[in-house]
Amino acid sequence: MSQELPTVLFFAGAFADPSCFDTFSKLLQTAGYPTAYAYVPSLNPSDPTAVSSSQDAQVTSENYLLPLLNQGKDVVIFAHSYGGIVGGAAAAGLSKASRAAAGMPGGVIGLIYCVGNIVGEGESLLQAVGGAYPPFIQENQPSKGLAVISPVIQTLYGEGAVSPETIPELEAAMTPHSLKAFETPQTAPAWAESAFDGRRAYIRTIDDQCNPLFIQDIWIEKTAVKWKTVDVKSGHCPFITQPEELAEIAVTLIKSWT
């Protein structure tokens, strides 16, 4: 019997339902990798003040990651943008090595950050970007405590990167996100653990207008741990604009860990 391939658990960026990964996810499924989505409470909550970054990590760990691990599955975290903060904390203490040492099944075998936001323990995203929101973050829109990105296409994809007929759908997918999630500190991240040495990858998006390349490099450097970096000439969302290329990268990385 062939060994089951690891499950890829997706953590979406802010302002996005995980269905944004649908095309990319199907490509990984075709390659034999089961996939699953993690959903965060801070995406368009009824009460934007009742959520936090650490709550996102706790909820996604308990509701989406641990159920997979307790079934004995190996998991790869694929985290985009804000999902890097949530996914990193959600996976803390849950490496394959740590769980095996405790006599528990399954475990996280690797971390793939696709232009993932990186914060240290006790740090917020707002602090990580310098303490001020960039101009494309429209605060208290469409109501107090929420935010959206505008302009959507230029910020997330880049001019000419998507076909004109898809623009209305991509703009309509912009979902309000709680500002408090960006302003509250996160718990200890998995990437800081030695169990992930040789099992951390960062996909840099070269033409990114949302998280420019220089800030991606600052985040990577400040971790003081080693990442395998792979470059994609794309804007902020290569799983939308270049899903086939991204799938090839992800499969190559996962194979190196299995």
Side-chain angles (χ1 to χ4, degrees), residues 36-257:
Y37 294 163
Y39 294 82
V40 295
S42 63
L43 183 67
N44 201 22
S46 57
D47 181 0
T49 68
V51 297
S52 68
S53 172
S54 59
Q55 181 192 61
D56 282 348
Q58 180 181 356
V59 168
T60 53
S61 185
E62 292 177 354
N63 292 353
Y64 304 102
L65 178 54
L66 279 169
L68 292 171
L69 303 186
N70 291 335
Q71 294 171 39
K73 297 184 181 298
D74 291 342
V75 172
V76 171
I77 301 294
F78 187 99
H80 176 246
S81 201
Y82 173 69
I85 296 175
V86 179
L94 299 177
S95 69
K96 177 83 168 175
S98 296
R99 285 179 62 86
M104 293 185 289
V108 179
I109 66 166
L111 309 170
I112 301 176
Y113 276 43
C114 179
V115 64
N117 299 155
I118 296 177
V119 299
E121 183 177 5
E123 186 181 20
S124 71
L125 174 58
L126 186 59
Q127 290 173 312
V129 298
Y133 287 111
F136 55 78
I137 298 291
Q138 307 298 307
E139 298 176 62
N140 298 309
Q141 296 294 330
S143 60
K144 185 174 176 58
L146 296 174
V148 293
I149 284 179
S150 180
V152 172
I153 301 304
Q154 295 92 322
T155 304
L156 296 181
Y157 308 102
E159 294 290 349
V162 295
S163 57
E165 60 269 20
T166 65
I167 289 177
E169 179 182 358
L170 292 172
E171 289 182 331
M174 170 56 54
T175 305
H177 209 109
S178 168
L179 286 164
K180 192 172 180 183
F182 310 146
E183 298 168 1
T184 47
Q186 189 51 275
T187 51
W191 54 255
E193 300 170 11
S194 61
F196 290 103
D197 289 350
R199 294 175 175 270
R200 307 177 195 91
Y202 197 102
I203 299 170
R204 304 192 316 161
T205 44
I206 302 302
D207 298 329
D208 203 311
Q209 300 301 305
C210 184
N211 291 339
L213 186 60
F214 79 89
I215 200 167
Q216 299 174 46
D217 287 339
I218 289 172
W219 290 339
I220 293 169
E221 183 177 1
K222 79 174 184 179
T223 66
V225 295
K226 186 174 178 56
W227 298 74
K228 178 178 177 58
T229 58
V230 184
D231 292 349
V232 177
K233 188 169 176 55
S234 78
H236 193 60
C237 300
F239 49 88
I240 297 290
T241 58
Q242 289 128 277
E244 293 85 1
E245 179 183 358
L246 196 64
E248 289 181 8
I249 291 170
V251 167
T252 299
L253 290 168
I254 297 169
K255 284 182 176 179
S256 74
W257 298 331

